[in-house]
Amino acid sequence: MAMVGAKLKALRTRRGLGMRELAARSGISHSAISLIERERMSPSVDTLGAILGALGTTMSSFFADLESGLPSRPFYRAEELVEIGRPDRISYRLIGMDYPNRRMLMLAERYAPGATTEASVAHRAEEAGIVMRGAVEVTVGDRTAVLRAGDAYYFDSQQPHSFRNVDPGISEIVSAITPPTY
Amino acid sequence: MAMVGAKLKALRTRRGLGMRELAARSGISHSAISLIERERMSPSVDTLGAILGALGTTMSSFFADLESGLPSRPFYRAEELVEIGRPDRISYRLIGMDYPNRRMLMLAERYAPGATTEASVAHRAEEAGIVMRGAVEVTVGDRTAVLRAGDAYYFDSQQPHSFRNVDPGISEIVSAITPPTY
DNA sequence: CAGGACTGTCGAGGATAATCAACAGGGGCG
DNA sequence: CGCCCCTGTTGATTATCCTCGACAGTCCTG
């Protein structure tokens, strides 16, 4: 999380505030601010949140700016895709893992026989995908359908939804979610 | 920073990962993950960053989702505007301070006589404003102009820029910056 | 039912974040 | 100059994060 200190200092000085003044407004000690700005310690989420609050910022704005920039490259080899699931059940391989400030989550999914997704909290997003191999039972709200190669889906993530592999072998889906509230 | 734990747990379980598995991938101990998920401690930025990385997420995505939602209200009284500058030099009063995931920063600025902005790092953004009162010398790149009531500006923030109050009294500007890399 | 592999929680310790109180370096002003 | 008020840095102490290992519960398998 490099650059946190430099960015914080830029924010503070731009407002013409001293460390002590910012400390008083945020409830964090001025020495802590000094150490954070010089990258000599990594603040807790609570601490950083308090400081950003006094500067009129939020965590998301702060890190959105920090992590912004163009991706390092446009192409990703199959072997490079980062695994964020578990291959023995449901493998989720992330496309464009080093794209800094993504607006979309694209995944190559691979379901082991019988694998089922966990119940998820409702979130405002749109989710679409297409089955590439096998057979997947998709439930959205009160509707259920078995999708096979070539079949697709598109729904609002706010509705309760789940996926279950009903093929005796492996099933594969390519999916996209936006915004990436994954 | 409430909800961090719940959101983290949702992310982990959705991928079918146990605490120990996530601990191994992130390099953070499973007990720390347990404590964080139950909101019994506030992780450091480094720690949370490591965990999110193993889940294929970034800080900005994580907090963007966490802080999302509709604003509590559409109207803000003059007295309510939050001060993020210093009234004796340059006062910056934030409009819509509780708008959760803003794409824009709008400020009511008030310059004391002789006040000057600090040098700022280059950032990719657009900045516009209009002078309401007094006289402000605005420098953008190699150009300088003195703007008075009714005069306005619009420039790319990547160019070095600064503001200086050249009025014997107080000068006022209403400005907007997007995205809010402030 | 016993054994194993998994789940998450808990307690004691060491590592680190955060605080408080000094300290040192500018300017400005009488 | 000598004093004041500001700036940010540093050392010693306390509080908190973080780790390691132990513990208890669940589920599957022999």
Side-chain angles (χ1 to χ4, degrees):
Chain A
M1 288 301 116
M3 289 288 297
V4 169
K7 167 99 175 137
L8 191 61
K9 179 168 189 170
L11 276 167
R12 176 177 62 80
T13 53
R14 180 180 296 196
R15 284 154 180 61
L17 298 176
M19 289 184 176
R20 281 179 172 76
E21 176 62 25
L22 179 56
R25 295 190 192 183
S26 61
I28 306 298
S29 69
H30 61 276
S31 5
I33 293 171
S34 173
L35 293 168
I36 294 166
E37 288 191 355
R38 286 176 297 136
E39 317 269 359
R40 296 177 67 80
M41 77 179 194
S42 175
S44 77
V45 168
D46 282 355
T47 301
L48 183 58
I51 295 172
L52 293 181
L55 291 168
T57 323
T58 60
M59 295 288 273
S60 57
S61 304
F62 185 80
F63 285 104
D65 187 42
L66 208 63
E67 293 164 350
S68 70
L70 291 176
S72 44
R73 56 191 165 135
F75 306 120
Y76 302 89
R77 294 288 169 196
E79 320 82 70
E80 297 177 310
L81 303 185
V82 173
E83 176 64 63
I84 59 172
R86 39 189 299 177
D88 60 324
R89 290 191 188 177
I90 307 177
S91 158
Y92 296 108
R93 275 157 44 248
L94 185 56
I95 297 171
M97 55 289 188
D98 51 6
Y99 202 103
N101 204 6
R102 75 174 84 254
R103 311 209 165 180
M104 174 176 66
L105 173 73
M106 189 157 202
L107 295 172
E109 308 181 0
R110 185 174 294 168
Y111 290 70
T116 310
T117 58
E118 311 289 328
S120 63
V121 287
H123 48 284
R124 205 175 326 162
E126 292 178 24
E127 202 162 337
I130 181 168
V131 176
M132 304 308 292
R133 187 153 75 102
V136 179
E137 183 191 77
V138 183
T139 302
V140 178
D142 55 358
R143 298 196 212 186
T144 297
V146 174
L147 305 181
R148 300 174 190 283
D151 296 339
Y153 60 87
Y154 194 127
F155 58 85
D156 190 306
S157 306
Q158 223 161 352
Q159 299 176 275
H161 53 280
S162 64
F163 295 76
R164 187 162 66 93
N165 184 12
V166 293
D167 192 273
I170 287 172
S171 289
E172 287 181 19
I173 294 177
V174 174
S175 75
I177 308 173
T178 179
T181 63
Y182 51 114
Chain B
M1 288 299 116
M3 288 288 296
V4 169
K7 168 99 176 137
L8 192 60
K9 180 168 189 169
L11 276 168
R12 177 176 62 80
T13 53
R14 179 181 298 198
R15 285 154 180 63
L17 298 176
M19 288 183 176
R20 280 177 173 77
E21 177 62 26
L22 179 57
R25 294 190 193 183
S26 61
I28 306 299
S29 69
H30 61 277
S31 6
I33 293 172
S34 173
L35 293 168
I36 294 165
E37 287 191 356
R38 286 175 296 138
E39 317 269 358
R40 295 176 67 79
M41 78 177 194
S42 174
S44 77
V45 168
D46 282 355
T47 302
L48 183 58
I51 296 172
L52 293 181
L55 292 169
T57 322
T58 60
M59 295 288 274
S60 57
S61 303
F62 185 79
F63 286 104
D65 187 42
L66 208 61
E67 293 164 348
S68 70
L70 290 175
S72 44
R73 57 198 165 129
F75 306 121
Y76 301 89
R77 294 288 169 197
E79 320 83 69
E80 297 176 309
L81 302 186
V82 173
E83 176 64 63
I84 60 173
R86 38 188 300 179
D88 59 325
R89 289 192 189 176
I90 308 176
S91 158
Y92 297 107
R93 276 158 42 251
L94 185 55
I95 298 170
M97 55 290 188
D98 51 6
Y99 202 105
N101 203 8
R102 69 167 57 88
R103 313 209 164 179
M104 175 176 67
L105 173 73
M106 189 157 202
L107 295 173
E109 308 180 0
R110 185 173 296 167
Y111 290 70
T116 310
T117 58
E118 310 290 328
S120 63
V121 288
H123 49 283
R124 206 175 325 162
E126 292 179 24
E127 203 162 336
I130 181 168
V131 176
M132 305 307 293
R133 187 154 73 103
V136 180
E137 183 191 76
V138 182
T139 302
V140 178
D142 55 356
R143 299 196 212 186
T144 296
V146 173
L147 305 181
R148 299 172 190 286
D151 297 337
Y153 61 86
Y154 194 127
F155 59 83
D156 189 307
S157 306
Q158 222 161 352
Q159 299 175 274
H161 53 279
S162 64
F163 295 77
R164 187 162 67 93
N165 184 14
V166 293
D167 192 273
I170 287 173
S171 290
E172 287 182 17
I173 294 177
V174 175
S175 76
I177 307 174
T178 179
T181 63
Y182 52 113

